[in-house]
Each structure stands twice: as C-alpha cells, then as structure tokens.
Amino acid sequence: MLTGKQKRFLRSKAHHLTPIFQVGKGGVNDNMIKVSVLQNCEEDKNDVAEALVKGSRSQLVQTIGNTIVLYKESKENKQIELP
C-alpha cells in the first residue's frame, strides 16, 4: 500500500507525462487495458480505475479529471525509488 508521501512523489513524477493509453466507448476489457478516459466512455472513471488496478495488479496513485495515474513497482528494472 502506498503512503500519502509516496503518492505525492509519484504524482509529481507523472505530472509531465502524456497518457499512453485511452479508454473509449467500449470501456475496459480483459484483453486491452488502456489510461486517459475519453469523454465518450460509458463507464465511470472510478470504475475504470478499479478495473485497471485489478487487471494490472498495480496501485492507484490518483484520478484527476479524466486521467488515471497507476503505479506498479518493477522487480527487474526499478527506476523510481520511493521516499
């Protein structure tokens, strides 16, 4: 579980990033996990975030606007050192 301090640190790291994935009208499914919720998405962004966390076994850092920030620690190529 991420602490508040760790979440703030990760939010600052993610702020300048452009979302790589998008969730559209079809929502989230098992085969394709996508992470900027488009306006035409029929699912609630919090439900999308939950599905992404569960499907990717990651942790939710924040949901802001239509952007979801997730964190999953790398076991082989750790690049972020959490405080």
Side-chain angles (χ1 to χ4, degrees):
M1 197 70 170
L2 294 173
T3 66
K5 185 175 182 176
Q6 291 171 329
K7 286 182 180 182
R8 282 191 303 277
F9 173 77
L10 292 170
R11 282 196 300 263
S12 71
K13 290 284 189 187
H15 183 267
H16 71 283
L17 299 176
T18 303
I20 297 172
F21 301 110
Q22 296 179 335
V23 177
K25 188 173 182 176
V28 178
N29 60 46
D30 293 340
N31 299 326
M32 187 143 208
I33 297 176
K34 296 179 169 189
V35 182
S36 173
V37 183
L38 301 178
Q39 290 181 350
N40 67 347
C41 182
E42 296 171 352
E43 295 182 37
D44 178 68
K45 64 184 174 190
N46 295 316
D47 294 338
V48 171
E50 279 184 42
L52 291 170
V53 165
K54 186 176 179 181
S56 64
R57 295 186 207 118
S58 60
Q59 296 182 55
L60 180 65
V61 175
Q62 87 178 101
T63 303
I64 184 164
N66 289 331
T67 303
I68 300 167
V69 179
L70 303 172
Y71 174 73
K72 184 174 182 178
E73 186 174 301
S74 173
K75 293 181 169 87
E76 299 164 3
N77 189 19
K78 190 171 183 177
Q79 296 179 352
I80 297 176
E81 196 64 43
L82 292 177

